[in-house]
Amino acid sequence: ADFIEASMKHNMSHYPRLFVGIPFTPHRGRRFITAAWLSAEERAEVQRELMQGVRAISVRANVGVNVGFPTEDEGQVLTQQGFIARTARQAWWSNRRPKPYKDFRDFLRTLRLKRAREIAKQRAALRDANVQTMVIDGSLDPDAVTPELMSEVFHSCYVPTQLKNGNVETSNGEYRFDLTEDFFCSLGERIPHRVLLILARENDGRLLGGSL
């Protein structure tokens, strides 16, 4: 957001831009892929060549480049190549170490009493409203993640969220989203073992919301 505001302040176009990363996924990982059999020195050399290639395309097209969440070593090479590092903060939750929480109640016991009671009250309200939560882990049961289920997630979760936040275009009277129903269904067809769903349903089975 700071870069966008700075571009507007100086009457510069922030978009279009070249993006190197995984769309919609703020997850750190390698962005300049090299062959696994290369040595460390060879890998670094190939990475530098790739980065120079990205810079050349940027100059030729007169657009900026954004490399999203590269690895630490890639970030160092990018800085050496003249890229500007931008700090991004994320909040990650992991189980307690070295002694993990046994269950959710065990976790609540570590909180202040007022906060623990608030959470317990919220969970009780969901039970009273006949809302059931379920975890569908495709790595444990790939058959549970079906194209039909992913289609339901698209229509009941993704579409309402995009409409609420205005992330939609219209063409010939039809809505157009960044992701399509076919994309969601393809997750259930091709990589169900890589899908983790947390869903909330009413007793009648209606899907209220979820997380993918």
Side-chain angles (χ1 to χ4, degrees), residues 77-207:
V77 178
L78 284 166
T79 302
Q80 296 170 1
Q81 293 289 324
F83 285 77
I84 300 173
R86 183 176 64 181
T87 300
R89 302 185 182 278
Q90 296 181 336
W92 289 73
W93 189 92
S94 58
N95 207 341
R96 183 176 55 185
R97 297 178 181 177
K99 185 179 180 181
Y101 298 112
K102 298 178 181 178
D103 49 33
F104 194 75
R105 289 184 178 180
D106 189 23
F107 166 71
L108 288 180
R109 294 190 187 99
T110 65
L111 303 179
R112 292 183 178 180
L113 183 59
K114 181 180 179 181
R115 181 56 178 157
R117 285 177 174 173
E118 289 176 352
I119 295 176
K121 184 178 180 180
Q122 293 170 357
R123 290 165 63 85
L126 288 175
R127 289 194 297 269
D128 293 342
N130 294 321
V131 175
Q132 300 178 346
T133 58
M134 59 187 67
V135 177
I136 301 177
D137 190 342
S139 66
L140 300 178
D141 184 8
D143 292 336
V145 182
T146 64
E148 293 75 19
L149 175 61
M150 297 308 298
S151 174
E152 184 184 14
V153 171
F154 173 80
H155 287 287
S156 299
C157 301
Y158 179 75
V159 169
T161 301
Q162 298 304 301
L163 291 173
K164 180 180 179 181
N165 292 283
N167 299 328
V168 58
E169 297 180 357
T170 57
S171 177
N172 298 324
E174 297 183 355
Y175 290 127
R176 294 180 58 185
F177 304 98
D178 290 328
L179 303 177
T180 66
E181 182 179 3
D182 287 342
F183 170 79
F184 274 74
C185 291
S186 69
L187 298 179
E189 293 172 350
R190 301 180 181 181
I191 54 170
H193 59 288
R194 302 299 298 273
V195 174
L196 174 63
L197 291 168
I198 297 90
L199 304 177
R201 293 185 182 276
E202 288 190 323
N203 278 350
D204 60 5
R206 184 166 67 94
L207 183 58

